[in-house]
Amino acid sequence: MKKSTKKLMALVLACLLTVAFSMTGCSSKDTSSGSSTASKEKIALVCSAAGANDNGYNQAAIKGLNQLKTEKGVDTKVVETTTDYPGTLKTLADAGYKLIYSLEYDFTALIDGVGGEKPLAEQYPDTTFVVFNANPNLKEDNTAKFKNVISVMFNVNEASFLAGALSVKVNENASVLFDSSKYSLTTGDAGRAVGFIGGTQSSGIEVFSYGYAEGINYVAKELGVNYTYYSTYNAGFSDSATGGTTAGTYYSEGANVVYTVAGSVGDGVDAKAKEVKKLSIEVDANKDSAQPGYILTSVLKNTNVPVYALGTALIDGTLASKGGTVINYSLGSEATGITDLSTIAAAIKSDSAAQAKWTEIKNYITDLSSKIGSGTIKVTNAQIGETLDIATLSNVKLPK
Amino acid sequence: MNKVRKLGLSLLNSLLPVLCAFAIGAVIILIIGQNPLTTYWIMIKNTLFTWKGFMKTLHYASPLILTGLAIAITFKANIFNMGVEGQLLGGAFASCIIGFSLKSMNPTAHVIICLLSGIIVGMLFALVPAILKAYFHVNEMVVTLMLNYAIAKILQVLASTVFRDKAAGYVATSPIESSAMFNRIGGTSITLFFPITIVVFIAMYFVFKKSRLGYEITAIGRNTEFAEASGMNVRRKIIYMMLISGALSGLAGAGFMMSEKFKYTLDFSGSPGLGWDGMLIALLGGHDPIGILIAAVFYSALKTGSDSIGIFANVPKEIVAVIQGLMILFLSIRFIDQRTKVFENFKTRFISKKAQTEEVQ
């Protein structure tokens, strides 16, 4: 009896194996037909540690890449590395990828070379590497080190400035704008406070915070009021529970708006905002509808715009002229800015006073935006090494 | 004959979880709509059957061999040093600081000083729980486990304040001087760190198999009271073992720093971390040096192979994480086997029956 079951199992296993091997035949044919079209331009993208599905930075870039694939018919590849990041860049360059976007933050292997190796940019002169958020491609005399490295920067300081101005404007007119039964915003001087939660202490995060503080200071000075600015810079990028707890503290201290630049930590902040019926500000992608009515706006960093633009340049043959440069995306380039506020607009009261005030605020923000564009207002840009002089923030208090 | 069967059984014990994990992984790849055999072949070919790929695998195996040995030497004696991860980070951080603060050094001297500082710091972090265990009967598992988090947080603070590289866009120390870096050899990933690891491995092989200490470790692991009654100084042996374990961990960290990372970042050790990987490797290798060597190379092939899968196959690289997770799951089944003997009974019956039928034939 037992022996027969064993025989039966062996038979079943043998069948399974046969099926598996016959399937090998089918799919290997598929792959060979896929790789025969190798003459197309090949573009690759290497994700940062946050991964391909981060609802922002990486995901938007992949969106741009997919747009290139469908519209221009290029060969694309998205890679998430775990162990060997420089090795991945090498493998891709060896495999004939002519344009490689690197969303990673570590540029040492690419620009300086490690372990006695030449810099990767020097090893692969025919491949163009695109890096984001910083410009490591500099010699001592501030000229470009490599002709095949392009740095992309977003002026999120300007977008954060608008978010700061909007925060104060909305906070000062909260009783006119919002239905008091749906929100429990702290009123009076106690409510003149905002929070900022950053993922790590770095110029890449400070650029948001400085712009935001300056935006708040600008409007507060105009109105002759003082704001308290609560901030933390070590929330990490993954723990949304931390976000909820920290934001909860700020909200109970009287802050009505909390701005989070810390990846998915922001999810916890948004949930907390809804729970205590106050407001939060999101970052990277348009996440206004994640908690509709409780997210004031999102500071956008649309990585798909440069990904698409540079990919198009590769196909047009104009990429070489951009080599070694820094591409700055400022307000109005569609790559950065704040959202169109349509989601929060739905939460504004429908009476004419509220609607008139809301239109006034929106016009005010548009006006500020053009002032920044024309250079009338200068916002500190921490990611190019500018530092914020705290003394200029006359109407913002930074508690210790 | 009995010995051969015992070896066969322990081999089966290590191989079965791996095979099961790969089989279930194959089912998942099939569900995704890809071919598991081609996917696995991409992984194996690029990690073991190309020269550069194999060198890369050995390069990433180096710290894993050391952490695997660090785990095995204590676990074998039923002393649980769960703090390998923390000791590794401490060693790495120490070598990093020495690496970038000493300028224009002789490369040989610089490398030796960095490695030694890593080893010493690793030993120091292991000494605390060792003394607590040996003289105050504090549970070493709890102390070492919790110390990991304490060390990681302290290093986080140090890396983001005092030793922070202001120019970097994220929390990182300055990179170490080139005089402290292990240079890559022959255009491959491998560095001098791998031969150093092998020398240490051979030394540890003799400690495990041929030395008095190795014998004593086994004896303490079997029965501590009996070992003590037969005249062993168990306390001192505990401290020796922990110090060796800490030294191996510290060396692993320092070597990984000087051959791969070159600066301390918050994700230096990766996720789940080289120390935790070492625990899996020690289990997979059955706390035996040769087993650990094979397991470390195999595990490293999985790690680097996941990058190859990400680049060359249409399967998400997470499949490797799935396989790793399944391996841990099936390895714990083997644990049940050792204690309850249910599976062992089944296997011996199965195997003896098979032997009988073979004899008949």
PDB file of all heavy atoms in Angstrom, chain B residues 165-195:
ATOM      1  N   ASP B 165      29.832  64.083   7.603  1.00  0.00           N
ATOM      2  CA  ASP B 165      30.397  64.745   6.438  1.00  0.00           C
ATOM      3  C   ASP B 165      29.374  65.769   5.966  1.00  0.00           C
ATOM      4  O   ASP B 165      28.329  65.425   5.440  1.00  0.00           O
ATOM      5  CB  ASP B 165      30.682  63.716   5.334  1.00  0.00           C
ATOM      6  CG  ASP B 165      31.212  64.362   4.065  1.00  0.00           C
ATOM      7  OD1 ASP B 165      31.529  65.567   4.115  1.00  0.00           O
ATOM      8  OD2 ASP B 165      31.306  63.674   3.038  1.00  0.00           O
ATOM      9  N   LYS B 166      29.721  67.038   6.160  1.00  0.00           N
ATOM     10  CA  LYS B 166      28.742  68.103   5.896  1.00  0.00           C
ATOM     11  C   LYS B 166      28.362  68.177   4.415  1.00  0.00           C
ATOM     12  O   LYS B 166      27.277  68.625   4.068  1.00  0.00           O
ATOM     13  CB  LYS B 166      29.309  69.458   6.336  1.00  0.00           C
ATOM     14  CG  LYS B 166      29.559  69.572   7.827  1.00  0.00           C
ATOM     15  CD  LYS B 166      28.251  69.772   8.594  1.00  0.00           C
ATOM     16  CE  LYS B 166      28.488  70.041  10.069  1.00  0.00           C
ATOM     17  NZ  LYS B 166      29.114  68.904  10.783  1.00  0.00           N
ATOM     18  N   ALA B 167      29.250  67.717   3.551  1.00  0.00           N
ATOM     19  CA  ALA B 167      28.986  67.847   2.122  1.00  0.00           C
ATOM     20  C   ALA B 167      27.997  66.803   1.615  1.00  0.00           C
ATOM     21  O   ALA B 167      27.381  66.986   0.582  1.00  0.00           O
ATOM     22  CB  ALA B 167      30.292  67.730   1.351  1.00  0.00           C
ATOM     23  N   ALA B 168      27.851  65.685   2.358  1.00  0.00           N
ATOM     24  CA  ALA B 168      26.987  64.614   1.872  1.00  0.00           C
ATOM     25  C   ALA B 168      25.522  64.991   2.053  1.00  0.00           C
ATOM     26  O   ALA B 168      25.169  65.675   3.004  1.00  0.00           O
ATOM     27  CB  ALA B 168      27.285  63.315   2.613  1.00  0.00           C
ATOM     28  N   GLY B 169      24.696  64.533   1.135  1.00  0.00           N
ATOM     29  CA  GLY B 169      23.277  64.857   1.185  1.00  0.00           C
ATOM     30  C   GLY B 169      22.503  63.961   2.123  1.00  0.00           C
ATOM     31  O   GLY B 169      21.287  64.003   2.154  1.00  0.00           O
ATOM     32  N   TYR B 170      23.174  63.106   2.861  1.00  0.00           N
ATOM     33  CA  TYR B 170      22.516  62.197   3.781  1.00  0.00           C
ATOM     34  C   TYR B 170      23.481  61.929   4.923  1.00  0.00           C
ATOM     35  O   TYR B 170      24.620  62.395   4.890  1.00  0.00           O
ATOM     36  CB  TYR B 170      22.138  60.902   3.060  1.00  0.00           C
ATOM     37  CG  TYR B 170      23.296  60.207   2.406  1.00  0.00           C
ATOM     38  CD1 TYR B 170      23.820  59.037   2.932  1.00  0.00           C
ATOM     39  CD2 TYR B 170      23.890  60.749   1.267  1.00  0.00           C
ATOM     40  CE1 TYR B 170      24.904  58.415   2.337  1.00  0.00           C
ATOM     41  CE2 TYR B 170      24.969  60.133   0.680  1.00  0.00           C
ATOM     42  CZ  TYR B 170      25.463  58.969   1.213  1.00  0.00           C
ATOM     43  OH  TYR B 170      26.547  58.364   0.627  1.00  0.00           O
ATOM     44  N   VAL B 171      23.029  61.183   5.934  1.00  0.00           N
ATOM     45  CA  VAL B 171      23.884  60.950   7.094  1.00  0.00           C
ATOM     46  C   VAL B 171      25.005  59.981   6.708  1.00  0.00           C
ATOM     47  O   VAL B 171      24.760  58.822   6.417  1.00  0.00           O
ATOM     48  CB  VAL B 171      23.083  60.394   8.277  1.00  0.00           C
ATOM     49  CG1 VAL B 171      24.019  60.054   9.430  1.00  0.00           C
ATOM     50  CG2 VAL B 171      22.054  61.409   8.721  1.00  0.00           C
ATOM     51  N   ALA B 172      26.225  60.485   6.701  1.00  0.00           N
ATOM     52  CA  ALA B 172      27.378  59.661   6.371  1.00  0.00           C
ATOM     53  C   ALA B 172      28.614  60.317   6.957  1.00  0.00           C
ATOM     54  O   ALA B 172      28.657  61.539   7.104  1.00  0.00           O
ATOM     55  CB  ALA B 172      27.540  59.522   4.856  1.00  0.00           C
ATOM     56  N   THR B 173      29.600  59.500   7.322  1.00  0.00           N
ATOM     57  CA  THR B 173      30.879  60.058   7.741  1.00  0.00           C
ATOM     58  C   THR B 173      31.693  60.363   6.491  1.00  0.00           C
ATOM     59  O   THR B 173      31.302  60.008   5.382  1.00  0.00           O
ATOM     60  CB  THR B 173      31.655  59.047   8.600  1.00  0.00           C
ATOM     61  OG1 THR B 173      31.910  57.903   7.797  1.00  0.00           O
ATOM     62  CG2 THR B 173      30.862  58.632   9.823  1.00  0.00           C
ATOM     63  N   SER B 174      32.835  61.010   6.681  1.00  0.00           N
ATOM     64  CA  SER B 174      33.722  61.224   5.544  1.00  0.00           C
ATOM     65  C   SER B 174      34.219  59.865   5.068  1.00  0.00           C
ATOM     66  O   SER B 174      34.341  58.942   5.865  1.00  0.00           O
ATOM     67  CB  SER B 174      34.925  62.065   5.963  1.00  0.00           C
ATOM     68  OG  SER B 174      34.496  63.197   6.649  1.00  0.00           O
ATOM     69  N   PRO B 175      34.518  59.737   3.770  1.00  0.00           N
ATOM     70  CA  PRO B 175      35.089  58.467   3.314  1.00  0.00           C
ATOM     71  C   PRO B 175      36.501  58.287   3.860  1.00  0.00           C
ATOM     72  O   PRO B 175      37.204  59.274   4.105  1.00  0.00           O
ATOM     73  CB  PRO B 175      35.106  58.598   1.793  1.00  0.00           C
ATOM     74  CG  PRO B 175      34.851  60.015   1.490  1.00  0.00           C
ATOM     75  CD  PRO B 175      34.251  60.664   2.685  1.00  0.00           C
ATOM     76  N   ILE B 176      36.929  57.031   4.037  1.00  0.00           N
ATOM     77  CA  ILE B 176      38.264  56.775   4.571  1.00  0.00           C
ATOM     78  C   ILE B 176      39.318  57.161   3.529  1.00  0.00           C
ATOM     79  O   ILE B 176      39.039  57.210   2.329  1.00  0.00           O
ATOM     80  CB  ILE B 176      38.425  55.295   4.991  1.00  0.00           C
ATOM     81  CG1 ILE B 176      38.158  54.344   3.823  1.00  0.00           C
ATOM     82  CG2 ILE B 176      37.519  54.964   6.156  1.00  0.00           C
ATOM     83  CD1 ILE B 176      38.417  52.891   4.156  1.00  0.00           C
ATOM     84  N   GLU B 177      40.507  57.444   4.013  1.00  0.00           N
ATOM     85  CA  GLU B 177      41.613  57.811   3.118  1.00  0.00           C
ATOM     86  C   GLU B 177      41.940  56.638   2.193  1.00  0.00           C
ATOM     87  O   GLU B 177      41.733  55.476   2.573  1.00  0.00           O
ATOM     88  CB  GLU B 177      42.856  58.147   3.946  1.00  0.00           C
ATOM     89  CG  GLU B 177      42.746  59.417   4.759  1.00  0.00           C
ATOM     90  CD  GLU B 177      42.780  60.653   3.883  1.00  0.00           C
ATOM     91  OE1 GLU B 177      43.709  60.806   3.084  1.00  0.00           O
ATOM     92  OE2 GLU B 177      41.843  61.472   4.006  1.00  0.00           O
ATOM     93  N   SER B 178      42.470  56.944   1.015  1.00  0.00           N
ATOM     94  CA  SER B 178      42.739  55.843   0.076  1.00  0.00           C
ATOM     95  C   SER B 178      43.828  54.911   0.609  1.00  0.00           C
ATOM     96  O   SER B 178      43.913  53.755   0.206  1.00  0.00           O
ATOM     97  CB  SER B 178      43.124  56.390  -1.294  1.00  0.00           C
ATOM     98  OG  SER B 178      44.251  57.217  -1.162  1.00  0.00           O
ATOM     99  N   SER B 179      44.661  55.405   1.561  1.00  0.00           N
ATOM    100  CA  SER B 179      45.691  54.526   2.125  1.00  0.00           C
ATOM    101  C   SER B 179      45.078  53.436   3.000  1.00  0.00           C
ATOM    102  O   SER B 179      45.712  52.418   3.274  1.00  0.00           O
ATOM    103  CB  SER B 179      46.692  55.340   2.932  1.00  0.00           C
ATOM    104  OG  SER B 179      46.023  56.111   3.900  1.00  0.00           O
ATOM    105  N   ALA B 180      43.825  53.639   3.439  1.00  0.00           N
ATOM    106  CA  ALA B 180      43.185  52.630   4.280  1.00  0.00           C
ATOM    107  C   ALA B 180      42.260  51.717   3.487  1.00  0.00           C
ATOM    108  O   ALA B 180      41.645  50.819   4.039  1.00  0.00           O
ATOM    109  CB  ALA B 180      42.404  53.305   5.398  1.00  0.00           C
ATOM    110  N   MET B 181      42.146  51.967   2.170  1.00  0.00           N
ATOM    111  CA  MET B 181      41.237  51.139   1.368  1.00  0.00           C
ATOM    112  C   MET B 181      41.949  49.893   0.869  1.00  0.00           C
ATOM    113  O   MET B 181      43.124  49.953   0.495  1.00  0.00           O
ATOM    114  CB  MET B 181      40.745  51.923   0.143  1.00  0.00           C
ATOM    115  CG  MET B 181      39.792  53.047   0.457  1.00  0.00           C
ATOM    116  SD  MET B 181      39.263  53.831  -1.085  1.00  0.00           S
ATOM    117  CE  MET B 181      38.394  55.264  -0.476  1.00  0.00           C
ATOM    118  N   PHE B 182      41.240  48.777   0.842  1.00  0.00           N
ATOM    119  CA  PHE B 182      41.727  47.595   0.141  1.00  0.00           C
ATOM    120  C   PHE B 182      41.459  47.825  -1.337  1.00  0.00           C
ATOM    121  O   PHE B 182      40.327  48.119  -1.727  1.00  0.00           O
ATOM    122  CB  PHE B 182      40.956  46.353   0.586  1.00  0.00           C
ATOM    123  CG  PHE B 182      41.360  45.832   1.926  1.00  0.00           C
ATOM    124  CD1 PHE B 182      40.425  45.705   2.937  1.00  0.00           C
ATOM    125  CD2 PHE B 182      42.665  45.452   2.173  1.00  0.00           C
ATOM    126  CE1 PHE B 182      40.785  45.205   4.181  1.00  0.00           C
ATOM    127  CE2 PHE B 182      43.029  44.956   3.411  1.00  0.00           C
ATOM    128  CZ  PHE B 182      42.095  44.836   4.415  1.00  0.00           C
ATOM    129  N   ASN B 183      42.489  47.700  -2.158  1.00  0.00           N
ATOM    130  CA  ASN B 183      42.266  47.924  -3.586  1.00  0.00           C
ATOM    131  C   ASN B 183      41.705  46.682  -4.257  1.00  0.00           C
ATOM    132  O   ASN B 183      42.022  45.562  -3.873  1.00  0.00           O
ATOM    133  CB  ASN B 183      43.569  48.325  -4.268  1.00  0.00           C
ATOM    134  CG  ASN B 183      43.922  49.761  -3.957  1.00  0.00           C
ATOM    135  OD1 ASN B 183      43.085  50.513  -3.438  1.00  0.00           O
ATOM    136  ND2 ASN B 183      45.142  50.140  -4.237  1.00  0.00           N
ATOM    137  N   ARG B 184      40.877  46.911  -5.245  1.00  0.00           N
ATOM    138  CA  ARG B 184      40.324  45.796  -6.006  1.00  0.00           C
ATOM    139  C   ARG B 184      41.439  45.155  -6.837  1.00  0.00           C
ATOM    140  O   ARG B 184      42.351  45.832  -7.300  1.00  0.00           O
ATOM    141  CB  ARG B 184      39.209  46.282  -6.913  1.00  0.00           C
ATOM    142  CG  ARG B 184      38.134  47.088  -6.178  1.00  0.00           C
ATOM    143  CD  ARG B 184      36.765  46.783  -6.705  1.00  0.00           C
ATOM    144  NE  ARG B 184      35.741  47.591  -6.057  1.00  0.00           N
ATOM    145  CZ  ARG B 184      35.168  47.276  -4.906  1.00  0.00           C
ATOM    146  NH1 ARG B 184      35.533  46.190  -4.248  1.00  0.00           N
ATOM    147  NH2 ARG B 184      34.231  48.045  -4.382  1.00  0.00           N
ATOM    148  N   ILE B 185      41.341  43.847  -7.009  1.00  0.00           N
ATOM    149  CA  ILE B 185      42.412  43.126  -7.691  1.00  0.00           C
ATOM    150  C   ILE B 185      41.945  42.678  -9.076  1.00  0.00           C
ATOM    151  O   ILE B 185      40.865  42.096  -9.217  1.00  0.00           O
ATOM    152  CB  ILE B 185      42.857  41.893  -6.869  1.00  0.00           C
ATOM    153  CG1 ILE B 185      43.365  42.360  -5.503  1.00  0.00           C
ATOM    154  CG2 ILE B 185      43.941  41.111  -7.601  1.00  0.00           C
ATOM    155  CD1 ILE B 185      43.530  41.254  -4.491  1.00  0.00           C
ATOM    156  N   GLY B 186      42.730  42.970 -10.080  1.00  0.00           N
ATOM    157  CA  GLY B 186      42.517  42.446 -11.432  1.00  0.00           C
ATOM    158  C   GLY B 186      41.173  42.798 -12.048  1.00  0.00           C
ATOM    159  O   GLY B 186      40.591  41.987 -12.755  1.00  0.00           O
ATOM    160  N   GLY B 187      40.679  43.994 -11.796  1.00  0.00           N
ATOM    161  CA  GLY B 187      39.432  44.440 -12.410  1.00  0.00           C
ATOM    162  C   GLY B 187      38.192  43.728 -11.906  1.00  0.00           C
ATOM    163  O   GLY B 187      37.116  43.858 -12.478  1.00  0.00           O
ATOM    164  N   THR B 188      38.340  42.940 -10.834  1.00  0.00           N
ATOM    165  CA  THR B 188      37.167  42.298 -10.253  1.00  0.00           C
ATOM    166  C   THR B 188      36.852  42.980  -8.920  1.00  0.00           C
ATOM    167  O   THR B 188      37.538  43.906  -8.513  1.00  0.00           O
ATOM    168  CB  THR B 188      37.422  40.804  -9.992  1.00  0.00           C
ATOM    169  OG1 THR B 188      38.480  40.699  -9.042  1.00  0.00           O
ATOM    170  CG2 THR B 188      37.804  40.084 -11.262  1.00  0.00           C
ATOM    171  N   SER B 189      35.802  42.495  -8.264  1.00  0.00           N
ATOM    172  CA  SER B 189      35.414  43.127  -7.005  1.00  0.00           C
ATOM    173  C   SER B 189      36.323  42.723  -5.855  1.00  0.00           C
ATOM    174  O   SER B 189      36.341  43.358  -4.819  1.00  0.00           O
ATOM    175  CB  SER B 189      33.982  42.731  -6.637  1.00  0.00           C
ATOM    176  OG  SER B 189      33.104  43.065  -7.666  1.00  0.00           O
ATOM    177  N   ILE B 190      37.060  41.648  -6.035  1.00  0.00           N
ATOM    178  CA  ILE B 190      37.745  41.062  -4.889  1.00  0.00           C
ATOM    179  C   ILE B 190      38.905  41.938  -4.406  1.00  0.00           C
ATOM    180  O   ILE B 190      39.525  42.657  -5.185  1.00  0.00           O
ATOM    181  CB  ILE B 190      38.219  39.637  -5.232  1.00  0.00           C
ATOM    182  CG1 ILE B 190      38.204  38.791  -3.965  1.00  0.00           C
ATOM    183  CG2 ILE B 190      39.591  39.652  -5.869  1.00  0.00           C
ATOM    184  CD1 ILE B 190      37.967  37.351  -4.231  1.00  0.00           C
ATOM    185  N   THR B 191      39.129  41.916  -3.101  1.00  0.00           N
ATOM    186  CA  THR B 191      40.230  42.672  -2.519  1.00  0.00           C
ATOM    187  C   THR B 191      41.039  41.748  -1.616  1.00  0.00           C
ATOM    188  O   THR B 191      40.705  40.577  -1.456  1.00  0.00           O
ATOM    189  CB  THR B 191      39.705  43.837  -1.665  1.00  0.00           C
ATOM    190  OG1 THR B 191      39.068  43.282  -0.522  1.00  0.00           O
ATOM    191  CG2 THR B 191      38.733  44.710  -2.414  1.00  0.00           C
ATOM    192  N   LEU B 192      42.041  42.327  -1.007  1.00  0.00           N
ATOM    193  CA  LEU B 192      42.894  41.566  -0.103  1.00  0.00           C
ATOM    194  C   LEU B 192      42.114  41.056   1.108  1.00  0.00           C
ATOM    195  O   LEU B 192      42.561  40.146   1.814  1.00  0.00           O
ATOM    196  CB  LEU B 192      44.048  42.458   0.362  1.00  0.00           C
ATOM    197  CG  LEU B 192      45.287  41.754   0.894  1.00  0.00           C
ATOM    198  CD1 LEU B 192      45.918  40.913  -0.188  1.00  0.00           C
ATOM    199  CD2 LEU B 192      46.278  42.781   1.414  1.00  0.00           C
ATOM    200  N   PHE B 193      40.948  41.616   1.337  1.00  0.00           N
ATOM    201  CA  PHE B 193      40.142  41.217   2.490  1.00  0.00           C
ATOM    202  C   PHE B 193      39.757  39.741   2.405  1.00  0.00           C
ATOM    203  O   PHE B 193      39.684  39.054   3.426  1.00  0.00           O
ATOM    204  CB  PHE B 193      38.900  42.112   2.559  1.00  0.00           C
ATOM    205  CG  PHE B 193      37.975  41.797   3.702  1.00  0.00           C
ATOM    206  CD1 PHE B 193      38.464  41.550   4.977  1.00  0.00           C
ATOM    207  CD2 PHE B 193      36.600  41.765   3.508  1.00  0.00           C
ATOM    208  CE1 PHE B 193      37.614  41.267   6.033  1.00  0.00           C
ATOM    209  CE2 PHE B 193      35.743  41.484   4.559  1.00  0.00           C
ATOM    210  CZ  PHE B 193      36.260  41.238   5.825  1.00  0.00           C
ATOM    211  N   PHE B 194      39.536  39.245   1.191  1.00  0.00           N
ATOM    212  CA  PHE B 194      39.136  37.841   1.061  1.00  0.00           C
ATOM    213  C   PHE B 194      40.248  36.882   1.500  1.00  0.00           C
ATOM    214  O   PHE B 194      40.002  35.990   2.320  1.00  0.00           O
ATOM    215  CB  PHE B 194      38.664  37.529  -0.365  1.00  0.00           C
ATOM    216  CG  PHE B 194      38.248  36.104  -0.545  1.00  0.00           C
ATOM    217  CD1 PHE B 194      37.094  35.632   0.065  1.00  0.00           C
ATOM    218  CD2 PHE B 194      39.019  35.220  -1.278  1.00  0.00           C
ATOM    219  CE1 PHE B 194      36.711  34.310  -0.069  1.00  0.00           C
ATOM    220  CE2 PHE B 194      38.642  33.901  -1.420  1.00  0.00           C
ATOM    221  CZ  PHE B 194      37.483  33.441  -0.806  1.00  0.00           C
ATOM    222  N   PRO B 195      41.502  37.045   0.988  1.00  0.00           N
ATOM    223  CA  PRO B 195      42.577  36.182   1.507  1.00  0.00           C
ATOM    224  C   PRO B 195      42.738  36.283   3.023  1.00  0.00           C
ATOM    225  O   PRO B 195      42.969  35.256   3.682  1.00  0.00           O
ATOM    226  CB  PRO B 195      43.824  36.720   0.796  1.00  0.00           C
ATOM    227  CG  PRO B 195      43.342  37.445  -0.378  1.00  0.00           C
ATOM    228  CD  PRO B 195      41.948  37.881  -0.124  1.00  0.00           C
TER     229      PRO B 195
END
